[in-house]
Amino acid sequence: MALEALLETTKSFLPDWPGWALDVLLIMTACLLVTMVLTHFYTPDDEKTEDAMNSSSTAKAASARATLHKEFDSFRRKYIAVYLVIMLADWMQGTHMYTLYLSYNVNVSALF
């Protein structure tokens, strides 16, 4: 009951889209949040990685690997942020294109 009330409140803040489109948007958002949480918990800690590297190689090589790892993580976060914005924009455009095609009486299912 509380979940339904929360969903209705959330949907009232979103654009006036068909119910199925809002449901898909909310499901994709939930999947994104779950993915981010799982990634946070299953990404190896830098301290553990550095300790393992120090025991197997020199401190200089371990420091270089740690720096490279941090740079890659920074790149990955930037890439995912841009990717998500582009995918969201494409998804939002798709709903408007669907409405546009319907207004011209185009058989949308024939396009696919």
Side-chain angles (χ1 to χ4, degrees):
M1 204 61 155
L3 180 61
E4 291 175 12
L6 178 65
L7 284 175
E8 290 304 318
T9 304
T10 305
K11 287 181 181 180
S12 68
F13 290 109
L14 296 172
D16 189 24
W17 290 349
W20 64 268
L22 290 176
D23 291 341
V24 169
L25 175 65
L26 293 174
I27 289 169
M28 296 299 283
T29 303
C31 290
L32 175 65
L33 292 174
V34 167
T35 302
M36 291 174 68
V37 167
L38 290 175
T39 301
H40 175 73
F41 285 117
Y42 289 107
T43 301
D45 294 335
D46 289 336
E47 294 171 3
K48 292 178 185 175
T49 306
E50 286 180 20
D51 290 342
M53 283 190 251
N54 285 336
S55 65
S56 66
S57 63
T58 65
K60 186 176 180 181
S63 175
R65 285 187 214 149
T67 303
L68 185 61
H69 181 67
K70 288 178 184 178
E71 289 175 359
F72 178 72
D73 282 346
S74 174
F75 167 75
R76 181 172 56 178
R77 281 190 291 277
K78 290 175 186 175
Y79 179 86
I80 289 178
V82 170
Y83 177 80
L84 291 176
V85 167
I86 290 171
M87 289 294 112
L88 180 63
D90 185 51
W91 187 82
M92 291 171 66
Q93 176 189 1
T95 57
H96 293 292
M97 294 302 290
Y98 179 81
T99 307
L100 178 70
Y101 287 142
L102 284 181
S103 70
Y104 286 112
N105 295 324
V106 174
N107 185 3
V108 178
S109 63
L111 296 174
F112 298 101

